[in-house]
Amino acid sequence: MNRRLVVYVISDSIGETAEQVVKAAVSQFECNDYDIRRFSYISEAEQIREIFSEAVNENCVIVFTMVVPALRRLMLEMATESKIPIIDIMTPIIDSIQTIIKSEPKNEPGLIRKLDEKYFRKVEAIEFAVKYDDGKDPRGLKKADIILIGVSRTSKTPLSMYLAHKNIKVANVPLVPEVPVPEELFEIPSKKIIGLTTNPIKLNEIRQERLKALGLGNEASYANMDRILEELEYADGLMKRLRCPVIDVSTKAVEESANIILEIMRQNAHLK
């Protein structure tokens, strides 16, 4: 009668990939009596020796994903000494890629997980920017890394999305003289708020183009110069009350304005 199969999955990261490979392989057999034992984040020789001291008494095979050369060599040496079948999943793939691209591997554990985490942080930041765009929900202001304020057509939304792709959670609030700003805005440290302003003539041109795109005439108050000056004066007064940094976006591309915001964030972090 066959003894119970034990598969040791040893990894210097999570080990999920190796475990899935093992499950796929085992599924090819009529084998219901097996156990997969996963050992994650193995980073020291002593940990490997402890695992082998247990494995030597089992009817087992060892599958591992190790990128640190010294630990990989130890795994193979101990498997030979213990006469335990061992499969190195990563090395053949890494060696093949190295041969083709003529570049040395980083040999750093957990890189794919770091990339995944970075990706999900970006997705979260983008979803945040969409949810709290244009003052939709003031509850997001206290959760944001940065709050952008300014009159209509001062690049609040494009900047929010650009910064979201840098994993920064951004909320933005439109400034309209007749509409009170959320009270939460006065409860947030001024260094987290960035005011956006622009040249009135430039803003007039942008708003006229916006009206054309919507099929509306230039007579709308939205593009009226007196109205624009009123809005900018109101916004300027509010930004002074909030004592927040102000960026003139008149002649700046989104990337340029974003870099200024990032620099402000870096300076604020340095002053903590």
Side-chain angles (χ1 to χ4, degrees):
M1 184 176 178
N2 290 334
R3 292 163 58 195
R4 179 181 179 82
L5 170 66
V6 179
V7 182
Y8 284 76
V9 174
I10 304 174
S11 177
D12 49 19
S13 186
I14 299 176
E16 285 180 328
T17 301
E19 183 172 346
Q20 290 303 314
V21 171
V22 169
K23 287 179 178 178
V26 172
S27 70
Q28 297 299 312
F29 299 88
E30 294 294 336
C31 179
N32 297 317
D33 189 17
Y34 72 94
D35 182 23
I36 298 176
R37 299 177 188 172
R38 193 207 302 180
F39 297 84
S40 304
Y41 301 111
I42 301 302
S43 59
E44 298 178 5
E46 188 56 37
Q47 292 174 303
I48 293 172
R49 293 190 180 95
E50 288 179 6
I51 296 169
F52 270 89
S53 68
E54 175 188 320
V56 74
N57 299 313
E58 302 277 8
N59 183 40
C60 74
V61 60
I62 292 176
V63 176
F64 74 96
T65 54
M66 289 276 184
V67 296
V68 178
L71 296 180
R72 203 162 59 218
R73 285 193 297 270
L74 178 61
M75 292 280 298
L76 296 171
E77 289 169 5
M78 295 202 69
T80 301
E81 293 173 8
S82 306
K83 298 182 180 178
I84 298 174
I86 190 166
I87 297 95
D88 178 356
I89 292 179
M90 291 286 283
T91 302
I93 302 171
I94 290 174
D95 287 348
S96 296
I97 294 173
Q98 181 179 358
T99 299
I100 294 170
I101 68 173
K102 311 296 183 186
S103 176
E104 291 293 321
K106 296 178 181 178
N107 293 327
E108 182 180 341
L111 285 179
I112 191 169
R113 181 171 177 80
K114 291 177 183 177
L115 290 171
D116 286 345
E117 288 174 352
K118 184 177 180 181
Y119 170 77
F120 286 118
R121 284 198 304 272
K122 180 186 293 185
V123 170
E124 184 181 1
I126 292 170
E127 290 176 345
F128 187 95
V130 172
K131 184 175 182 180
Y132 299 112
D133 181 48
D134 209 29
K136 289 175 185 173
D137 186 348
R139 292 174 298 180
L141 298 180
K142 292 184 178 180
K143 303 175 187 176
D145 298 318
I146 284 288
I147 300 102
L148 304 179
I149 62 173
V151 301
S152 176
R153 315 314 292 178
T154 49
S155 301
K156 295 186 300 298
T157 297
L159 273 169
S160 296
M161 296 307 298
Y162 186 94
L163 291 167
H165 280 82
K166 303 285 186 183
N167 302 339
I168 297 169
K169 292 182 179 179
V170 186
N172 72 71
V173 178
L175 301 183
V176 182
E178 296 80 13
V179 181
V181 295
E183 285 300 318
E184 288 87 347
L185 204 58
F186 296 96
E187 300 168 2
I188 294 165
S190 60
K191 65 182 181 181
K192 291 181 66 175
I193 303 170
I194 303 289
L196 304 177
T197 190
T198 188
N199 179 282
I201 297 175
K202 181 71 174 177
L203 183 57
N204 177 258
E205 293 172 357
I206 292 171
R207 288 190 176 184
Q208 285 186 12
E209 289 300 319
R210 177 62 175 163
L211 289 174
K212 286 180 185 177
L214 295 173
L216 301 173
N218 291 343
E219 64 275 4
S221 63
Y222 181 70
N224 179 276
M225 182 58 77
D226 289 337
R227 173 62 182 182
I228 287 173
L229 291 172
E230 179 189 358
E231 288 184 30
L232 289 174
E233 184 180 0
Y234 165 75
D236 181 63
L238 180 64
M239 292 171 193
K240 286 177 179 175
R241 283 175 60 197
L242 291 168
R243 303 178 71 177
C244 65
V246 179
I247 301 172
D248 187 338
V249 300
S250 303
T251 59
K252 294 181 179 65
V254 169
E255 295 85 349
E256 188 178 357
S257 297
N259 286 334
I260 294 172
I261 293 170
L262 291 170
E263 181 58 32
I264 291 171
M265 291 182 69
R266 279 192 288 269
Q267 291 175 0
N268 288 338
H270 181 68
L271 293 173
K272 285 183 180 179

